[in-house]
Amino acid sequence: MSDPIDPNVDPYGYLGITPNTDGSITRSQIPSRPFATSTTDHDSLIFTKDVVINPAKDSWARIIIPREVLSSENKLPLVVYFHGGGFVMAITIDTPILQNFCATLVAEIPAIVVSVDYRYAPENRLPAAYDDCVESLYWIKNTLDELLRKYADFSKCFLLGTSSGGNIAYHVGLRVAGVGEYLKPLEIKGLILYHSLFGGNERTKSELRLARDKMLPLNASDIMWELGLPIGSDRDHPYCNPMVEIRSNENLFDQVKIQGWRILMIDCDGDPMIDRQIEVLKMLKKKGVQVVGCFSEGGFHGREYFDGMKLKELALVIKEFVRV
């Protein structure tokens, strides 16, 4: 087994890409994706099913259900999950650590999770990922899939995202907050932003303190934004730096408040993003948004992916938020 790539030494290798002189990239690996509805069984406690969202975009999702609910009449909360990867890395919902992450949440909450795949940058720069994930919500709204119709409580839906997926959950939430009538019977109740990937031109203290972090150093996150943002944009683009739009648009969260959404922000002080999470949380509170922060000491960006005990603790935090 080869040694893991140090992102401080080879950030492009760490991201699984090679830059080309024309500005394009070559991927070291392109993951396979199921392209037809299939039913699989990865764990005795869960039942999974893969579904195509949009064949033209090669976008798909995985429905993950606690096996025990299949023999009951109960409906469970619906969690729509957007995975991380900095918009750039060739990570799919079929990646083993993501499968374990979702399976744990499904079993511990319990809930039904729809884990959504989306297109990568720079082949498809932002807002392509936002577009794909909004489309997934309309697919859920319109689906005739028996598993979701029978076992998911569409009136209790939450958007959950990790890292760049947290960024997606935030921006997708803002997009759809004002069109709730068009999404019914799907009713979003809140956002869960876990180690969300945000940025900005001016470095925060935590970014400088953890500039050579082994999980998310500045050189790697800078490349992600360079490849992910619309061409010609810098890190103060609203897709990257939410504070720009929060400060400039007094009415940004009006619909979020009207809908009564709650927001849970989760991070740790070992994550370079922590200062940005705290800044956004404080501003959301100032704007009158129902927001809760769950910030812990130590850790690192995405720690719960790699620590089973911490993942169960995270699942319990999410469980308490969802059940209110």
Side-chain angles (χ1 to χ4, degrees):
M1 181 180 294
S2 59
D3 293 333
I5 297 173
D6 184 341
N8 292 287
V9 176
D10 182 7
Y12 287 101
Y14 179 71
L15 298 175
I17 59 177
T18 301
N20 300 320
T21 55
D22 63 358
S24 65
I25 57 129
T26 300
R27 296 189 177 276
S28 57
Q29 182 179 4
I30 300 177
S32 60
R33 305 187 185 199
F35 203 70
T37 303
S38 62
T39 304
T40 55
D41 185 5
H42 296 292
D43 188 288
S44 61
L45 299 178
I46 64 168
F47 183 86
T48 68
K49 180 180 180 181
D50 296 337
V51 294
V52 174
I53 300 294
N54 186 330
K57 296 179 180 177
D58 196 14
S59 60
W60 61 290
R62 174 162 293 162
I63 303 168
I64 309 153
I65 296 180
R67 182 170 287 278
E68 63 182 9
V69 80
L70 298 177
S71 57
S72 76
E73 298 298 321
N74 296 328
K75 288 195 172 188
L76 297 178
L78 177 62
V79 176
V80 182
Y81 177 64
F82 309 127
H83 64 74
F87 304 108
V88 173
M89 299 176 75
I91 293 174
T92 77
I93 56 183
D94 203 40
T95 303
I97 60 171
L98 292 185
Q99 293 185 60
N100 181 62
F101 181 86
C102 290
T104 300
L105 295 184
V106 162
E108 295 291 333
I109 293 176
I112 292 175
V113 169
V114 176
S115 184
V116 177
D117 213 26
Y118 51 85
R119 290 170 293 170
Y120 312 128
E123 298 92 335
N124 299 279
R125 291 174 177 264
L126 291 173
Y130 304 154
D131 296 341
D132 293 351
C133 293
V134 168
E135 184 176 31
S136 75
L137 299 181
Y138 281 93
W139 181 89
I140 293 170
K141 159 201 159 62
N142 294 316
T143 186
L144 298 178
D145 185 89
E146 185 179 355
L147 288 175
L148 289 179
R149 286 290 176 183
K150 187 173 182 180
Y151 300 112
D153 184 351
F154 276 36
S155 70
K156 200 170 187 181
C157 175
F158 294 83
L159 307 186
L160 163 65
T162 300
S163 190
S164 55
N167 176 297
I168 291 171
Y170 172 83
H171 285 286
V172 167
L174 287 180
R175 276 199 190 187
V176 302
V179 295
E181 289 298 317
Y182 297 99
L183 280 175
K184 286 186 176 181
L186 192 66
E187 295 183 32
I188 297 169
K189 297 299 185 183
L191 311 178
I192 304 168
L193 312 180
Y194 164 55
H195 293 201
S196 297
L197 182 67
F198 295 133
N201 287 339
E202 184 178 348
R203 307 297 193 186
T204 65
K205 290 181 179 178
S206 61
E207 287 172 341
L208 294 173
R209 172 169 57 86
L210 297 165
R212 294 185 60 80
D213 182 64
K214 292 294 186 179
M215 187 60 67
L216 188 63
L218 284 179
N219 61 348
S221 61
D222 285 355
I223 292 171
M224 291 173 180
W225 290 120
E226 180 185 346
L227 296 176
L229 289 170
I231 292 175
S233 303
D234 63 19
R235 293 192 306 274
D236 275 339
H237 190 288
Y239 294 164
C240 176
N241 188 350
M243 294 302 296
V244 171
E245 194 171 18
I246 291 173
R247 291 190 179 108
S248 64
N249 185 350
E250 284 293 323
N251 303 315
L252 184 62
F253 299 105
D254 284 359
Q255 288 299 321
V256 169
K257 292 185 287 185
I258 290 171
Q259 299 295 328
W261 288 9
R262 296 175 295 120
I263 299 177
L264 172 62
M265 300 186 69
I266 305 168
D267 211 339
C268 62
D269 68 6
D271 180 9
M273 298 290 103
I274 182 65
D275 285 355
R276 296 196 183 277
Q277 314 304 320
I278 294 172
E279 183 181 31
V280 170
L281 179 134
K282 288 180 177 178
M283 186 62 78
L284 290 178
K285 284 186 175 181
K286 185 177 179 181
K287 296 285 187 179
V289 177
Q290 298 180 65
V291 60
V292 178
C294 181
F295 301 131
S296 58
E297 296 181 355
F300 54 87
H301 189 77
R303 177 180 181 177
E304 286 75 9
Y305 278 130
F306 309 98
D307 185 326
M309 289 300 297
K310 290 296 181 182
L311 176 53
K312 287 200 171 186
E313 291 176 11
L314 172 67
L316 291 176
V317 170
I318 295 174
K319 177 179 182 177
E320 289 301 312
F321 182 75
V322 167
R323 70 189 295 182
V324 173

